[in-house]
Amino acid sequence: MVVALVAAASVSVGLTELYFSYQDSKRALTRVERDKASSAALAIEQPIQDVVRELEALAQPTEDEGTAGLTARNQDFHRLLGRERLVSKLRYLDATGRERVRVSSLEIDRINSGIDLSRSETFVRAQAAERYFGPVYFQRGSQPHVTIGVAEAGGRGGVIVAEIDLSFVGPIIERARIGTAGYAFAVDRRGELFVHRDIDLVLRHTNFASLPQVQAALRAPANVPADAVTTGRDQNGTEVLSAFQRIESLGWYVFVEEPLSEAFAPLTSAIWRTALLLVAFLLLAIATSVLLARKLVRPIESIQAAAARIGSGSLDQRIEVQSHDELGALAEEFNRMAGRLQESYSSLEQKVEERTRELAEALTELDEKSRELEAASRHKSEFLANMSHELRTPLNAILGFSQVLRERLFGDVNEKQEEYLDDILTSANHLLALINDILDLSKVEAGQVELEVAPFSLREALERGVVMVRERATKDGVQVALAANSEVDVIEGDERRIRQVIFNLLSNAVKFTPSGGAVDVSTARVDGEVWVSVADTGPGIAPEDQERIFEEFQQAEAGVEHREGTGLGLALSRRLVELHGGRIWVDTEVGQGSTFVFTLPARAV
Amino acid sequence: MAGEQILVVEDNERNMKLFRDVLQANGYRTLEATTGGQAVELATEQESDLVLMDIQLPDIDGVEALRRLRADERTAAIPVLALTAQAMDGDRARFLAAGFDGYVSKPVDIVELVAIVKQHCSGRVR
């Protein structure tokens, strides 16, 4: 970017510079050429004008029109010829155009030759315009001459005709050239070349009117500035820088020219120099901008890279920027930030580590506790199994031998003995029931009872329960009735456990109902639950006992009096009902009988 | 009485005495073993019509003894009843699944025991 900017600036400056220096040198060269041309033109014109003045002096009419006058002219002519080396021949033509005096530097004088020159252009034009400059012509093929005619003053009608040797123009033109390949030349008003360093061109009477710069000069009005034409071509077609000066009095033109290649050689070298400088400057600019970019961009890149690395987690990354500018400050700030980030991150990591360790410890502890609990649970269940086993083994002997005696397997027993044997058997059976209930309760409390839930007929379970207590009820004079709701039959639950509950409630009811009383069993569907009620006409339960009876080894007064039951039945029943997600309670009043109700969620079919 | 020989495996002295007396009183002959190993030994040496197998024994337990009896073709066909104080939930099912022909839990009702023994012996005789 910077490089491009610098390059563009340099190139445009270089090009402008080149353009102006081209224009300048062109102008300068042209001026030099024109000056040369002007001075050459002056140098050419001056002597000729001198001659013309001399001729004008001679053109004063003589007092004597006769031979004396002619002789005087002849003498005057000689003097002029001697004075002015340019003049090679002088003639006096009388008013009729006849040659009266002829003086030449090479021929003998002729007086009154009478040669009629009245039709010559010089005579005619000089008579008409007082002064006439003829075209350049060549004597002996190579010597340029011009004929000048000056009309005789005083209206005599005569004309003095002078032939001017233009050999002096050659050196002037030669001096006017510039440079090594430059040259100058002179053409007359028709474009006829009469002085040129290349003599061949002159000898061949070359006309330069076809050259563009010459053509333009010939066509230009006399007062047009000479520098109007600045470039042209030479006879070979080579482009030239050209300037000319018109010699007004003669109608001639002096051209000073130089091939463009040479004229602009210094300019070309200047171009090269400029281009070289430009390139050098460009290189310098590029180098500078690269250095500058490095100085600027490197730190930025470094900061960027470091930021990226920090972003990807290497928080120990720091930026190495040594500069004392804004970048250095930025880097420093950045490093400070990274440092703080690293600090807080490491403290965070530390905290996380700590918490993880704590958590792991807690988990280990929990695991240990859980294992301990598991072991405790296992120990408990093993203990229960062992206790069961160890209690049952002696009971087996007690019950067995008592039964053997009672069944009179080895001989008769008297009445008293039989009564005692019955007592032993009853107590032993009670003990067995206790053992069974304790084991059941323990297992429920240890969470070791898993319900075997399946659809079963609640109605059938109730019928079987009634059948089981009927014998005892009948014996005690208690009526047991089942009024099963037809809506309630198959439900889901652990059949064996539900039967256990039903039997417990029924046997309690029968047990506490005096002779002549009744036990009524009924079912109902209430709010998506199945309700089973066992109502008796027993003594009822005092309010303070109503909750207690569901606790282990807690019996109401009546129960204590009966000395029957383990004191665990209701506690076990409650646990089993609750395991099913149901409730159990009693509605009772002392003297009004009791109604035990348990509910089960009706996952009924 | 048929006089079938019944191998009683029981490590408790008093219970052994009870079973022996009850069985003999009902006309059965008894063989007695107090360990599992002894039971297997006796069963192979002397012909038995029924085995009443306690489970908890000093050496190998009743289940292992049953396995050995079943593994020996001489004793493989003898019916074996589990007669055990292991009477927790699921014990009956466990022992029947182990291959016992019947299960009687302690404390036993001797009337029931005699009935079961009779059932198995007569079944065998037939």
Side-chain angles (χ1 to χ4, degrees):
Chain A
M1 182 63 193
V2 178
V3 175
L5 214 67
V6 169
S10 312
V11 168
S12 57
V13 165
L15 288 177
T16 312
E17 173 68 22
L18 270 179
Y19 174 77
F20 282 117
S21 75
Y22 167 79
Q23 290 296 335
D24 283 350
S25 39
K26 188 173 168 183
R27 228 188 332 271
L29 278 170
T30 311
R31 196 174 302 122
V32 169
E33 285 183 349
R34 204 181 61 233
D35 289 351
K36 290 259 185 185
S38 296
S39 67
L42 264 176
I44 292 164
E45 192 177 27
Q46 199 59 54
I48 291 173
Q49 287 298 340
D50 288 348
V51 170
V52 169
R53 270 190 294 279
E54 295 275 6
L55 291 177
E56 279 169 353
L58 287 180
Q60 298 305 316
T62 49
E63 285 166 29
D64 181 17
E65 287 293 314
T67 312
L70 292 178
T71 307
R73 275 195 195 278
N74 192 30
Q75 285 169 348
D76 286 344
F77 282 11
H78 270 290
R79 273 197 293 278
L80 184 58
L81 223 57
R83 245 189 347 263
E84 290 286 353
R85 304 194 61 81
L86 269 57
V87 183
S88 59
K89 189 190 277 183
L90 283 167
R91 276 181 289 190
Y92 171 70
L93 309 182
D94 62 16
T96 61
R98 293 187 193 273
E99 185 185 75
R100 292 297 167 202
V101 179
R102 185 201 315 177
V103 175
S104 166
S105 54
L106 300 170
E107 298 166 49
I108 51 163
D109 300 347
R110 289 282 296 275
I111 307 286
N112 271 328
S113 68
I115 297 169
D116 183 6
L117 290 168
S118 60
R119 290 177 188 277
S120 71
E121 200 177 354
T122 308
F123 176 75
V124 174
R125 299 283 290 272
Q127 248 193 340
E130 292 190 353
R131 206 161 296 142
Y132 166 71
F133 295 94
V136 175
Y137 67 95
F138 295 92
Q139 283 185 11
R140 289 191 291 276
S142 66
Q143 292 172 359
H145 281 74
V146 67
T147 304
I148 298 173
V150 177
E152 196 176 4
R156 292 277 191 85
V159 172
I160 292 173
V161 177
E163 303 302 327
I164 307 298
D165 184 356
L166 293 176
S167 304
F168 75 98
V169 176
I172 292 170
I173 289 299
E174 186 61 25
R175 273 200 305 279
R177 75 187 187 89
I178 52 169
T180 49
Y183 56 91
F185 60 86
V187 294
D188 65 10
R189 64 168 66 91
R190 299 160 306 172
E192 288 287 342
L193 183 69
F194 66 92
V195 182
H196 197 285
R197 67 192 304 194
D198 187 348
I199 196 70
D200 276 351
L201 286 172
V202 178
L203 294 183
R204 276 190 267 119
H205 303 301
T206 311
N207 191 307
F208 268 5
S210 59
L211 296 182
Q213 69 273 31
V214 176
Q215 196 172 20
L218 294 181
R219 281 184 189 164
N223 57 351
V224 164
D227 56 355
V229 177
T230 52
T231 55
R233 294 186 179 278
D234 69 3
Q235 68 283 358
N236 301 320
T238 309
E239 256 196 312
V240 293
L241 194 66
S242 170
F244 71 92
Q245 179 62 54
R246 182 182 156 97
I247 303 171
E248 289 300 333
S249 53
L250 301 167
W252 297 348
Y253 299 84
V254 175
F255 281 89
V256 176
E257 293 185 345
E258 192 179 16
L260 274 184
S261 57
E262 194 189 80
F264 289 133
L267 191 63
T268 311
S269 72
I271 289 172
W272 276 112
R273 215 166 38 241
T274 308
L276 227 88
L277 275 171
L278 199 63
V279 166
F281 181 63
L282 260 178
L283 287 176
L284 192 71
I286 289 168
T288 309
S289 30
V290 165
L291 278 174
L292 200 68
R294 275 193 188 180
K295 195 169 151 47
L296 255 158
V297 170
R298 277 286 164 78
I300 290 172
E301 276 178 350
S302 157
I303 289 172
Q304 192 183 16
R309 280 196 292 274
I310 288 171
S312 65
S314 357
L315 294 180
D316 54 343
Q317 189 68 40
R318 292 292 179 275
I319 303 163
E320 286 167 29
V321 173
Q322 307 292 344
S323 55
H324 295 287
D325 53 9
E326 288 83 351
L327 283 174
L330 176 62
E332 208 174 295
E333 207 49 51
F334 198 92
N335 283 340
R336 204 168 301 143
M337 183 203 74
R340 231 169 276 148
L341 195 61
Q342 187 177 20
E343 217 170 275
S344 64
Y345 189 76
S346 72
S347 87
L348 184 69
E349 268 185 337
Q350 205 178 325
K351 270 180 198 156
V352 167
E353 228 166 78
E354 233 166 76
R355 295 286 182 279
T356 308
R357 204 172 42 245
E358 282 172 13
L359 190 63
E361 277 168 14
L363 277 175
T364 313
E365 219 170 289
L366 196 65
D367 208 35
E368 221 166 276
K369 281 276 190 302
S370 152
R371 259 204 307 280
E372 278 172 16
L373 267 174
E374 213 173 282
S377 171
R378 199 171 52 245
H379 286 149
K380 187 170 184 180
S381 91
E382 272 170 19
F383 169 76
L384 288 176
N386 280 336
M387 195 188 72
S388 166
H389 189 268
E390 296 312 314
L391 289 174
R392 280 166 192 276
T393 301
L395 264 181
N396 188 60
I398 294 167
L399 278 165
F401 285 122
S402 303
Q403 211 181 353
V404 165
L405 292 174
R406 177 72 172 72
E407 296 296 323
R408 294 172 172 83
L409 229 58
F410 297 103
D412 205 2
V413 290
N414 63 34
E415 217 168 291
K416 198 71 184 171
Q417 286 169 330
E418 188 175 353
E419 191 194 322
Y420 289 164
L421 283 172
D422 281 340
D423 284 345
I424 294 171
L425 283 169
T426 302
S427 295
N429 275 320
H430 190 168
L431 190 57
L432 183 59
L434 259 175
I435 293 166
N436 285 337
D437 281 356
I438 288 171
L439 288 176
D440 269 351
L441 204 58
S442 302
K443 286 176 82 174
V444 170
E445 280 183 349
Q448 288 177 345
V449 169
E450 283 193 13
L451 296 180
E452 290 164 25
V453 177
F456 73 98
S457 172
L458 180 63
R459 184 204 294 266
E460 269 176 34
L462 289 169
E463 280 167 0
R464 285 184 65 161
V466 169
V467 167
M468 283 170 78
V469 297
R470 184 152 284 156
E471 192 190 336
R472 161 98 188 253
T474 306
K475 198 171 72 183
D476 292 354
V478 174
Q479 284 281 335
V480 180
L482 170 63
N485 189 316
S486 61
E487 282 177 29
V488 180
D489 189 3
V490 177
I491 63 165
E492 278 197 350
D494 188 328
E495 185 176 6
R496 199 167 64 82
R497 298 302 187 180
I498 299 298
R499 274 190 192 172
Q500 211 174 331
V501 174
I502 291 169
F503 179 73
N504 180 257
L505 294 183
L506 276 173
S507 58
N508 280 347
V510 169
K511 203 187 297 175
F512 291 105
T513 301
S515 182
V519 172
D520 291 309
V521 182
S522 61
T523 60
R525 214 176 250 283
V526 181
D527 292 339
E529 284 180 324
V530 170
W531 288 32
V532 177
S533 335
V534 178
D536 62 51
T537 56
I541 302 162
E544 65 268 24
D545 289 336
Q546 285 175 15
E547 262 310 301
R548 219 159 51 83
I549 53 169
F550 289 102
E551 288 165 22
E552 291 86 349
F553 298 113
Q554 300 295 330
Q555 288 178 310
E557 279 304 307
V560 176
E561 280 167 20
H562 270 79
R563 297 218 163 273
E564 216 182 315
T566 59
L568 292 173
L570 281 175
L572 188 57
S573 291
R574 183 169 68 175
R575 299 300 169 98
L576 292 175
V577 167
E578 284 171 358
L579 267 180
H580 277 84
R583 294 163 290 139
I584 187 167
W585 70 91
V586 61
D587 292 326
T588 180
E589 238 176 89
V590 176
Q592 298 295 314
S594 309
T595 301
F596 283 84
V597 183
F598 74 90
T599 71
L600 294 171
R603 279 171 293 221
V605 179
Chain B
M1 283 291 162
E4 286 92 348
Q5 180 143 285
I6 296 171
L7 173 56
V8 180
V9 189
E10 172 64 67
D11 65 335
N12 183 283
E13 208 181 307
R14 287 186 187 84
N15 283 332
M16 176 63 90
K17 183 171 154 194
L18 174 67
F19 296 139
R20 181 204 304 138
D21 288 354
V22 169
L23 290 173
Q24 287 179 354
N26 280 281
Y28 295 101
R29 291 176 290 135
T30 56
L31 281 172
E32 293 166 23
T34 54
T35 69
Q38 202 185 349
V40 176
E41 211 174 294
L42 271 175
T44 45
E45 283 169 2
Q46 302 185 41
E47 202 174 309
S48 297
D49 296 291
L50 181 68
V51 179
L52 296 179
M53 180 77 80
D54 194 3
I55 299 299
Q56 198 166 311
L57 293 165
D59 54 347
I60 59 170
D61 71 4
V63 177
E64 173 60 19
L66 173 71
R67 200 190 59 75
R68 293 190 188 179
L69 290 175
R70 294 284 193 252
D72 190 328
E73 60 174 20
R74 290 171 294 177
T75 57
I78 306 171
V80 182
L81 303 181
L83 182 60
T84 177
Q86 293 188 18
M88 306 281 281
D89 280 347
D91 281 344
R92 169 187 286 272
R94 186 158 60 91
F95 293 123
L96 291 180
F100 285 98
D101 296 287
Y103 168 88
V104 182
S105 67
K106 294 174 187 172
V108 297
D109 181 316
I110 59 166
V111 177
E112 195 185 318
L113 175 68
V114 170
I116 292 171
V117 167
K118 200 171 283 177
Q119 205 180 2
H120 279 276
C121 286
S122 60
R124 186 173 161 75
V125 167
R126 255 179 250 147

